Amino acid sequence: MTIQKDYTPNVVADTGVGDMSPEEFRRHGHEVVNWIADYLEGIEAYPITCNMLPGEIRESLPATAPYIGESFDNILHDFNSKIIPGITHWNHPGFFAYFAITGSGPGILGEMLAAALNVNTMVWQSSPAGVELEELTLDWLRDLVGLPMTFQGVINDTASSSSLYALSAARHTCFPEVRDKGLFATPISRIYASREAHSSIDKAVITLGYGVEGLSRIETDSDFRMNTDALRKAIEEDVESDIRPMALVATLGTTSTGSMDPIDELADIAEEYGVWLHVDAAYAGPAAIVPEFREYFSGWERADSIVLNPHKWLFTPIDCSILYCRRPDKLKSAFSVTPEYLVTKEQSDTISPMDYGIPLGRRLRALKLWFVLRYFGSQGIVERIRAHCSLASVFADLVDKTQGWERVAQVGFSTVVFRYSPLGSLHDTGGIIQGNDNIGSDELQDLVNMNIMDRVNESGEVFLSHTRLNDRVALRFSVGNLRSTETHVRRAWELLTSAADELKTS
Ligand SMILES: Cc1ncc(COP(=O)(O)O)c(C=O)c1O
């Protein structure tokens, strides 16, 4: 490592008002790294979910901050005894809930170094390597997922922020006057997304001032893909009522099932009506790196903006979301405000990430993503994503082959949606119906499935989540952890079927 020639050890700590001393840092740093290595190695010893009651964790900790600083040994002790028992272990190989993720080794190390550098990637001057690394890493990833060079990327914390910024750019494109005059002078406008689009789109529309009614939720087909006829009808009706169509959000990899909206057709419609096309590929986007999956994304290159989350399925510790924009100038003109103290001589020749969203201060998130891409390489990433999809098909096969269980959607990459629906009466499911004698069979089936899921989750060995499809409960099984193996998948299935059997006999 190169350091300044006149380097002298930092002695500020000696004054009593400095930082932790380098010796102490080194000692505890080694301890923490060892803790992390042991944690990742022995993670299966932990129950995935915490079995404490809400409020218990807080009650176990002092109500006020310490007046006198404490030893790091004490802090680590409490981390182990008070915090760890309250953790849901997302890095556990039996974690199949929501969209399962991995904070991988290289990603964790990148995160640690980013914290040490503590740079603020606002403008080139404030973090030259930060700005250039972010540009480069996002260009690499753009090429890997097969998007054209016209897309410029920026890293945000979450897909929720990325979609909010994308829709702000959409609004700016439609009504540039909003920036100066606010919403008041503009016509009523609408944004369209399918019924299966993520709630972050509702939040974005509400935040932009269009209200809940500003989002038109379009029905889906039997595969949970946006119905394009219904979309056209909704747009036409709005146009006739003088409501201005502003943006269309397509989801590639919906949260419930991983379904893919018909992106090429949606791009045609967006072009026809002159609306901004935003693609939410927060979960499935990284799958476009896999050659045989690329065709499913065909047409997304026609979008104006695309969000994908390396913190979902690209092994990068949370948080890291990328917004790719084909019209970054629109994003910039929606957001850019440069106070005098941030005017720099390089600003006309360099990208200032602060111009492309709300936050001024930005962590060096590109470092962990760069580490991940370099450490695994694109081939390694392809193999890992493929492996997750094959584990999902192992699970789907088990569902398909077992009487009394059904899949309720196509396997969406590494996500399987299914339910317990035995033939005949569910009213023999023992204790569950107590107090629920009058409910219909659909509601009873929902209750049974929730009960099965709760029983499985209480095991601490695996963790699943649920969704609602066509207003009925369905269970979700999503593979995304690098430590998950077929043994974990089969164990999850064993727990599910045993829970269903227990219900029958209880
Ligand atoms: C399709 C989709 N979009 C957006 C989000 C929101 O992601 P984030 O937590 O990064 O805001 C999710 C979360 O699961 C999602 O599944």
Side-chain angles (χ1 to χ4, degrees):
M1 192 186 299
T2 32
I3 45 173
Q4 266 183 292
K5 269 201 231 111
D6 58 355
Y7 163 81
T8 49
N10 180 341
V11 290
V12 181
D14 293 350
T15 64
V17 290
D19 193 7
M20 180 184 262
S21 73
E23 294 72 31
E24 212 192 341
F25 184 87
R26 201 178 302 281
R27 184 159 65 84
H28 294 304
H30 284 138
E31 245 178 294
V32 167
V33 169
N34 282 332
W35 187 96
I36 297 173
D38 290 346
Y39 173 70
L40 295 177
E41 191 180 20
I43 193 160
E44 288 191 67
Y46 296 87
I48 300 186
T49 43
C50 124
N51 55 12
M52 299 171 90
L53 293 173
E56 243 185 281
I57 300 159
R58 183 172 176 155
E59 255 170 42
S60 74
L61 298 165
T64 54
Y67 180 63
I68 307 275
E70 299 182 59
S71 77
F72 200 77
D73 286 326
N74 264 0
I75 302 170
L76 268 189
H77 175 271
D78 284 354
F79 169 76
N80 274 307
S81 62
K82 311 263 170 70
I83 303 301
I84 290 298
I87 291 290
T88 297
H89 295 278
W90 285 68
N91 250 347
H92 193 295
F95 190 108
F96 299 114
Y98 316 122
F99 281 128
I101 58 176
T102 314
S104 65
I108 294 169
L109 295 172
E111 189 79 298
M112 285 166 65
L113 289 173
L117 295 175
N118 200 30
V119 296
N120 194 336
T121 308
M122 309 180 287
V123 294
W124 190 88
Q125 187 188 58
S126 73
S127 175
V131 169
E132 294 189 22
L133 187 67
E134 181 163 334
E135 252 184 278
L136 173 91
T137 308
L138 300 195
D139 285 357
W140 280 8
L141 186 59
R142 177 199 62 207
D143 296 347
L144 289 178
V145 297
L147 286 171
M149 284 174 66
T150 38
F151 280 89
Q152 180 184 308
V154 60
I155 301 186
N156 295 308
D157 52 1
T158 58
S160 305
S161 300
S162 293
S163 289
L164 171 64
Y165 304 155
L167 294 176
S168 303
R171 180 174 69 184
H172 187 81
T173 307
C174 228
F175 309 114
E177 65 273 23
V178 166
R179 190 179 153 118
D180 290 333
K181 308 236 178 272
L183 271 184
F184 311 104
T186 60
I188 301 177
S189 309
R190 198 95 82 193
I191 291 161
Y192 306 83
S194 95
R195 264 197 206 157
E196 293 298 318
H198 189 261
S199 54
S200 53
I201 306 303
D202 299 75
K203 283 197 187 180
V205 175
I206 295 166
T207 307
L208 288 173
Y210 292 102
V212 173
E213 290 174 14
L215 178 64
S216 178
R217 287 276 190 173
I218 308 298
E219 66 188 55
T220 53
D221 63 17
S222 54
D223 287 327
F224 307 104
R225 298 149 44 92
M226 195 189 295
N227 177 326
T228 48
D229 290 339
L231 171 67
R232 266 182 195 286
K233 189 161 169 272
I235 294 179
E236 288 295 339
E237 279 171 10
D238 281 348
V239 171
E240 271 169 35
S241 313
D242 285 334
I243 296 175
R244 173 80 188 265
M246 201 175 78
L248 170 57
V249 179
T251 312
L252 295 182
T254 57
T255 312
S256 283
T257 67
S259 62
M260 306 282 277
D261 282 339
I263 184 63
D264 230 358
E265 273 180 80
L266 295 183
D268 288 342
I269 296 174
E271 258 169 41
E272 189 180 327
Y273 291 95
V275 300
W276 182 281
L277 178 60
H278 174 58
V279 170
D280 178 355
Y283 155 62
I289 302 176
V290 182
E292 64 271 25
F293 294 155
R294 179 69 58 77
E295 64 179 298
Y296 301 127
F297 295 82
S298 173
W300 73 333
E301 69 285 353
R302 297 169 64 193
D304 296 290
S305 54
I306 297 173
V307 57
L308 61 87
N309 275 9
H311 77 223
K312 285 204 195 304
W313 206 13
L314 206 51
F315 324 127
T316 307
I318 194 163
D319 51 8
C320 185
S321 171
I322 302 171
L323 178 60
Y324 282 114
C325 210
R326 195 161 50 87
R327 300 156 86 182
D329 53 312
K330 298 293 180 192
L331 199 55
K332 186 172 175 182
S333 35
F335 284 106
S336 175
V337 175
T338 308
E340 184 53 36
Y341 79 101
L342 290 171
V343 173
T344 65
K345 60 182 185 308
E346 303 86 9
Q347 68 189 26
S348 51
D349 305 321
T350 56
I351 284 179
S352 300
M354 67 169 185
D355 286 341
Y356 297 88
I358 293 170
L360 168 62
R362 303 170 73 259
R363 307 192 298 117
L364 179 44
R365 296 191 185 89
L367 197 62
K368 57 185 171 182
L369 179 57
W370 187 58
F371 277 27
V372 166
L373 295 181
R374 291 193 60 182
Y375 183 81
F376 294 118
S378 61
Q379 190 200 11
I381 290 168
V382 165
E383 283 165 0
R384 284 164 176 82
I385 290 177
R386 272 189 193 136
H388 290 171
C389 295
S390 352
L391 289 180
S393 37
V394 167
F395 186 85
D397 270 359
L398 291 167
V399 176
D400 291 346
K401 284 185 189 141
T402 312
Q403 224 183 12
W405 293 82
E406 64 175 354
R407 259 189 317 110
V408 290
Q410 307 270 349
V411 177
F413 297 101
S414 67
T415 301
V416 184
V417 192
F418 64 103
R419 71 163 72 100
Y420 181 56
S421 57
L423 288 174
S425 172
L426 278 160
H427 280 86
D428 59 358
T429 40
I432 280 234
I433 59 163
Q434 279 170 20
N436 292 305
D437 314 7
N438 297 326
I439 65 175
S441 57
D442 284 358
E443 287 87 347
L444 182 58
Q445 192 171 66
D446 290 352
L447 220 57
V448 166
N449 276 280
M450 292 303 285
N451 198 288
I452 290 173
M453 183 181 77
D454 290 344
R455 283 171 189 239
V456 168
N457 289 348
E458 275 162 22
S459 74
E461 285 184 68
V462 300
F463 184 36
L464 307 178
S465 57
H466 76 285
T467 186
R468 217 166 240 284
L469 287 170
N470 298 326
D471 209 26
R472 299 287 314 286
V473 166
L475 306 183
R476 287 176 73 267
F477 181 89
S478 159
V479 186
N481 191 278
L482 292 177
R483 290 173 191 84
S484 299
T485 63
E486 193 167 326
T487 310
H488 300 103
V489 171
R490 291 190 180 276
R491 180 65 186 144
W493 183 241
E494 211 171 271
L495 288 166
L496 280 158
T497 47
S498 313
D501 290 345
E502 274 168 31
L503 272 182
K504 277 193 271 181
T505 52
S506 62

